[in-house]
Amino acid sequence: MARGEGVRDQRPAGAGAGAALQARDPVARLPGAGPKTVARLAAAGIVTVGDLLALAPRGYDDLRAATPVAALPQLSPGQVVVVRGVVRRVHVFPRRFLDVTVDDGGATLRARWFRAPGGMARAFPKGESVALAGALRFGADGRPELIHPLNVTAAPPGIRARYPLIDGVGGRVLEKMIAAALAAGADTAGAADIDYVDDIDDVLPAGLRARCALPGRGQTWRALHLPDAGISAEALAALRAGRSPAHRRLALEELFILQVGFRARRASAGARPARPCNAVDGAELLAAARARLPFALTAGQANAVTAIAADLASPRPMQRLLCGDVGSGKTVVALLAAVAVAAAGGQTLLMAPTEVLAEQHRRTLAAVGGPF
């Protein structure tokens, strides 16, 4: 849980001057992004607004319902809870910590903030009602307590995202920056659609998203960072488990970008010239090599040999991966491909990962090798 602060709204209400913000813009354009914060985010690989919004939360805290203080002893340490009560006692230890006792119908809870700002105690006047959210723990005397809880007295109840630890950047800072980025994309009426992330920068084609029933990029980021307060228990469980539509969308986007990169690399390599190994010239030699095999090729092996021979005859580089289980006959297919290359006057290098396997290949190929 991030270091506590005074009563503040966690979510900015308007776009302000950031209405023209784009996902490709630097994070320095966001409120709260000072030079040190920007440098620390960059060290974590977060440079643009899009990078920041792509930072998936590591968990979610349900702040919609308060837990009676009297019921806290039945809960497990570390569970995030919301408690409401009346401030009964405030102890300020300058430059050390702030200690606040909250009373809920006679049951008391201790809240502590270490190295709290000097004026933080003013947020807890005695006799006032407050709401605190934090990870539950129990002191040496068995009393429930919260360390550095959030003061959510004035904040609307909802689902709060927790983010991966970034050295020097607190969770509250990330929350504010992400909320500001999302708010900056909304129109002046606070509409849900965020054009700068939903349309312009969405790398997934709309047809693909529709077929897979996946949200747009902007909808994905909102669902991840600012879940609807009315979300069902099942949907919240899916978010926490990383199985929500938003998480599936992120996974598909990553695979899609990877595949596009592979296709681009393949197209670039395929555009280079290569020396063709004419399949017609090697047909007789291939037939002789197959006749010397102590077995007949399976249909799959024969199809692979034919496809490889056709690729070798092309003036473009062959880009093919031969797949098969152990003992399925990959070596004999490689041998026949080498025969096709030899028929065109070329050479083949057969590589093996171990000396034992290399010796095994040498013996196998020697048994069927030689002039055909």
Side-chain angles (χ1 to χ4, degrees):
M1 183 66 66
R3 195 178 295 274
E5 301 181 29
V7 179
R8 297 180 183 178
D9 188 357
Q10 298 184 42
R11 303 180 184 188
L21 197 67
Q22 299 288 322
R24 64 181 67 89
D25 287 341
V27 292
R29 292 196 58 186
L30 294 172
K36 291 184 178 179
T37 298
V38 170
R40 290 163 179 165
L41 289 174
I46 299 173
V47 178
T48 67
V49 173
D51 295 335
L52 181 66
L53 292 175
L55 181 67
R58 63 183 176 90
Y60 296 88
D61 298 328
D62 192 346
L63 308 182
R64 293 175 295 182
T67 302
V69 173
L72 294 179
Q74 282 73 51
L75 302 182
S76 302
Q79 183 172 340
V80 175
V81 296
V82 178
V83 296
R84 299 182 182 276
V86 177
V87 177
R88 292 303 183 200
R89 186 175 63 179
V90 178
H91 281 180
V92 180
F93 300 83
R95 299 183 181 180
R96 293 179 60 191
F97 65 90
L98 169 66
D99 187 290
V100 176
T101 298
V102 177
D103 181 283
D104 177 21
T108 59
L109 168 86
R110 175 187 297 158
R112 290 182 174 182
W113 294 264
F114 295 95
R115 297 183 180 179
M120 187 174 176
R122 292 195 293 269
F124 302 98
K126 292 182 180 180
E128 292 293 324
S129 296
V130 296
L132 302 175
L136 176 65
R137 56 172 285 178
F138 297 94
D141 56 0
R143 288 178 57 189
E145 58 184 30
L146 302 178
I147 304 299
H148 294 289
L150 288 176
N151 187 339
V152 294
T153 304
I159 308 298
R160 178 174 177 267
R162 283 184 281 113
Y163 295 96
L165 298 178
I166 296 178
D167 188 28
V169 183
R172 289 281 287 135
V173 174
L174 287 174
E175 285 181 30
K176 292 178 182 178
M177 292 177 64
I178 289 173
L182 292 174
D187 61 25
T188 54
D193 268 349
I194 299 180
D195 293 336
Y196 80 104
V197 289
D198 275 342
D199 301 326
I200 299 176
D201 292 315
D202 201 327
V203 299
L204 291 183
L208 177 60
R209 297 201 312 266
R211 289 197 304 273
C212 298
L214 295 176
R217 176 176 277 191
Q219 295 170 328
T220 295
W221 284 339
R222 284 190 298 275
L224 288 174
H225 300 298
L226 301 177
D228 194 320
I231 190 174
S232 66
E234 293 77 13
L236 178 57
L239 267 177
R240 286 172 166 167
R243 297 195 302 266
S244 69
H247 285 93
R248 291 194 295 109
R249 150 72 200 229
L250 288 182
L252 179 61
E253 179 176 324
E254 184 174 346
L255 293 174
F256 180 81
I257 293 174
L258 189 63
Q259 283 297 317
V260 169
F262 284 153
R263 292 294 296 269
R265 180 182 296 181
R266 182 181 179 87
S268 176
R272 301 170 186 170
R275 173 187 172 185
C277 299
N278 197 303
V280 176
D281 295 341
E284 183 178 343
L285 197 59
L286 273 174
R290 292 180 61 168
R292 293 191 57 177
L293 295 176
F295 52 83
L297 295 181
T298 65
Q301 292 168 340
N303 291 337
V305 170
T306 301
I308 290 174
D311 275 357
L312 290 173
S314 169
R316 300 299 180 188
M318 178 173 66
Q319 302 183 74
R320 184 175 294 276
L321 176 65
L322 181 63
C323 300
D325 295 332
V326 175
S328 62
K330 299 185 296 294
T331 303
V332 72
V333 173
L335 168 64
L336 295 176
V339 169
V341 172
Q347 293 182 328
T348 301
L349 175 65
L350 178 63
M351 301 177 65
T354 66
E355 184 178 354
V356 173
L357 185 57
E359 177 62 23
Q360 178 182 334
H361 283 332
R362 186 192 68 80
R363 294 178 180 178
T364 300
L365 298 179
V368 295
F372 294 100

